[in-house]
Amino acid sequence: MFAIDTLIHRLKRGCQTMDYPAGPAPALPDRHGGALRVDASKCADECRACLPVCPTQAISRPAGKPMQLDLGRCIFCAACVETCPAKAITQTGDHRMSVLRREDLLLGEPEHETVRLAHALDGKLRKLFGRSLRLRVVSAGGCAACEADTNVLGTIGWDLGRFGIQFVASPRHADGLLITGPVTRNMELALKKTYDAVPAPKIVIAVGACAIAGGPFVGHPQVHNGAGSLVPVNLFIPGCPPHPLTILDGLLRLLGRLEKNSTGNVPVQKPG
């Protein structure tokens, strides 16, 4: 009887999984400013107002060069946005931030006011992983925020499995690693062994400011300032923590499962 009641209840609720990416992406919460944009041409030469307020030293101003913001080190506290008198740093509300190269997260040059978004893997790797991707999550000393937002993707509202993407318990059953946390000294050996246990070819995804560059712990002697110094990283997903939509966008972008529609701003899922 209980099973019948449960089934009837589920039928009444209908489908709870969002349409994205077949439809528009869900709106980000008001408190989530999304990706940052940097217009260094608005910066006065003598202005350094944003530098001291950044808790992770993500902003720099080399002599004779434009102001530069490292979105990989950014924890999205928006202190620089509020402090900048010229409004050279602004929030875009855009969830898309994932990149293939670490340097693509450096903003400030006229042609690099926003991130250079990731594109799909090359033909061979895309053929291998495009329909089925299994990832071993390695929590390398983080606060569990990135892990929590990654876990959200497994809920009924997001249903990560519909894209053929699964999180697995053993690295020997995985196609790659999804790393969170700044990689503490105590996790160094564990990360290396886990990476070595994944059969080749394999991919590595760094999720969150800590896994990319150390986050709030950057420069601390007990962390490695991210995973890139220990293992090769194929995809960087910034945030502190990244919104689940940002993580999902990065994964689908890497697998070539997104394309722009005619308006250029709403991704739709490619068939197959």
Side-chain angles (χ1 to χ4, degrees):
M1 186 66 180
F2 176 77
I4 295 176
D5 290 343
T6 302
L7 179 59
I8 293 174
H9 177 68
R10 286 292 298 116
L11 291 173
K12 287 181 178 180
R13 292 186 63 183
C15 181
Q16 300 293 303
T17 304
M18 66 181 68
D19 291 335
Y20 177 85
L28 294 177
D30 292 339
R31 65 182 180 275
H32 194 300
L36 298 180
R37 182 185 184 91
V38 176
D39 185 354
S41 64
K42 294 183 178 180
C43 291
D45 292 339
E46 68 279 1
C47 182
R48 298 290 189 276
C50 59
L51 271 66
V53 302
C54 181
T56 58
Q57 294 81 52
I59 305 174
S60 60
R61 188 72 187 269
K65 295 185 178 180
M67 181 268 288
Q68 186 177 79
L69 189 152
D70 185 350
L71 206 63
R73 293 177 69 160
C74 178
I75 60 171
F76 297 83
C77 65
C80 58
V81 177
E82 298 170 0
T83 303
C84 180
K87 304 301 180 185
I89 307 174
T90 55
Q91 295 173 313
T92 66
D94 193 343
H95 66 274
R96 301 170 300 174
M97 288 183 264
S98 303
V99 303
L100 297 182
R101 303 181 305 166
R102 180 70 179 86
E103 55 267 31
D104 287 340
L105 291 171
L106 303 179
L107 311 181
E109 296 289 343
E111 65 275 17
H112 296 153
E113 293 182 356
T114 58
V115 296
R116 281 78 78 194
L117 292 173
H119 54 77
L121 292 165
D122 63 40
K124 182 179 179 180
L125 290 179
R126 184 177 172 185
K127 185 176 181 180
L128 284 172
F129 304 136
R131 291 178 177 270
S132 176
L133 178 66
R134 290 171 170 78
L135 298 171
R136 175 64 167 96
V137 177
V138 178
S139 180
C143 68
C146 291
E147 294 87 339
D149 276 3
T150 299
N151 288 340
V152 166
L153 296 177
T155 62
I156 191 172
W158 297 83
D159 191 14
L160 187 65
R162 61 191 162 124
F163 306 109
I165 304 173
Q166 297 177 326
F167 299 129
V168 296
S170 171
R172 299 191 185 280
H173 299 159
D175 301 308
L177 303 181
L178 188 150
I179 304 172
T180 61
V183 190
T184 60
R185 297 289 178 183
N186 287 339
M187 282 298 298
E188 177 182 351
L189 181 60
L191 176 59
K192 288 181 177 178
K193 284 188 173 182
T194 305
Y195 176 80
D196 291 340
V198 178
K202 47 194 166 186
I203 60 176
V204 175
I205 301 166
V207 173
C210 288
I212 295 175
F217 310 101
V218 61
H220 194 284
Q222 292 302 315
V223 304
H224 281 278
N225 293 340
S229 61
L230 297 174
V231 294
V233 178
N234 303 94
L235 183 71
F236 300 87
I237 305 179
C240 189
H243 191 277
L245 182 58
T246 300
I247 301 173
L248 178 59
D249 176 84
L251 295 175
L252 297 182
R253 199 171 292 279
L254 186 69
L255 300 179
R257 303 291 291 274
L258 295 178
E259 62 182 7
K260 292 182 178 179
N261 68 358
S262 57
T263 64
N265 56 18
V266 181
V268 296
Q269 185 181 6
K270 287 184 177 181

